[in-house]
Amino acid sequence: LAIGGLYAYGRPSEGGQPPPAFPGERIRTQLLPPAFTLDDHQGRPVSSPKAGGGRVTLVTGVYALCSTTCPEILLQIKDLIAGLSPDRRARLDVLALSLNPDYDTTELMARIAEGYSLPYPQFRYANGGTRVMIPLLRDFQFAARRNPATGLVDHANLFILIDANGRIAYRFNLDQRHRPWLIAAVESLTDEAIEGRP
């Protein structure tokens, strides 16, 4: 799933200038995401986005004990949802994959979702147990490794956007330079879904 070119576009520009405008189609991909069926924080099944379903899915990864970047990810998602127009918001689903499947129980995941006031079922925090999650995270390229010194999980901070045709369109990281690109990409993809464009 490696996406060439994205990080080159996201590098800081000379002299502290603002980042370039969202490159749009120049960095868009058409990759198939891995298939999965998991259980969300309400104990209900959640599966891979369906092609032609008319919805855009934002996939990220978090875990309940994380006190560093995961709160930033969840707050950014909350702000993103709140900032969308009602039509765009109605076309967006958000899926947070557990990066600590041994520990993230349904109750803990529900507590996190409720603590951030993330709307259900638009936002779903999901786990499938270690045997399912480890290969799924690897296939999505969420590098996650337990630090033996701290017991915490060192992990990639990613936002992966799956378009209404069920293809991975964009991949961003938790970087202030990528934040406006993520918003622009969500708006563009949800507009496509509203208009029924391929």
Side-chain angles (χ1 to χ4, degrees):
L1 298 179
I3 297 175
L6 173 59
Y7 296 103
Y9 282 114
R11 288 178 188 152
S13 46
E14 297 295 327
Q17 295 297 314
F22 174 53
E25 292 297 319
R26 286 189 292 160
I27 62 169
R28 186 166 180 174
T29 66
Q30 292 288 326
L31 301 172
L32 278 173
F36 58 84
T37 298
L38 309 171
D39 293 320
D40 71 18
H41 64 278
Q42 296 292 333
R44 297 174 182 167
V46 55
S47 299
S48 320
K50 294 181 179 177
R55 303 187 66 76
V56 175
T57 303
L58 170 59
V59 179
T60 191
V62 297
Y63 72 103
L65 283 181
C66 180
S67 60
T68 53
T69 55
C70 296
E72 293 181 49
I73 288 170
L74 294 168
L75 288 172
Q76 186 166 333
I77 288 170
K78 182 177 180 179
D79 289 346
L80 171 66
I81 293 171
L84 293 174
S85 68
D87 287 347
R88 287 169 170 161
R89 194 180 310 132
R91 294 287 182 159
L92 178 69
D93 294 321
V94 181
L95 177 64
L97 301 175
S98 171
L99 300 174
N100 192 2
D102 282 337
Y103 185 82
D104 279 352
T105 63
T106 303
E107 293 76 18
L108 266 178
M109 295 191 299
R111 200 176 304 164
I112 293 296
E114 291 163 9
Y116 285 88
S117 301
L118 290 161
Y120 185 85
Q122 182 172 38
F123 174 87
R124 303 175 82 176
Y125 186 179
N127 193 352
T130 303
R131 292 183 65 180
V132 172
M133 296 306 294
I134 288 176
L136 178 61
L137 293 170
R138 182 186 62 236
D139 290 346
F140 265 122
Q141 293 197 338
F142 281 100
R145 183 173 58 89
R146 189 174 303 282
N147 186 322
T150 64
L152 300 178
V153 178
D154 298 326
H155 59 88
N157 303 301
L158 300 178
F159 300 99
I160 297 172
L161 282 169
I162 301 175
D163 65 22
N165 292 315
R167 301 277 179 158
I168 294 176
Y170 300 106
R171 176 172 133 147
F172 304 106
N173 61 36
L174 187 64
D175 185 313
Q176 286 302 313
R177 294 164 301 189
H178 285 186
R179 187 168 186 152
W181 288 9
L182 175 62
I183 295 168
V186 168
E187 290 177 345
S188 174
L189 293 177
T190 51
D191 284 348
E192 284 181 13
I194 291 167
E195 296 164 13
R197 285 187 278 138

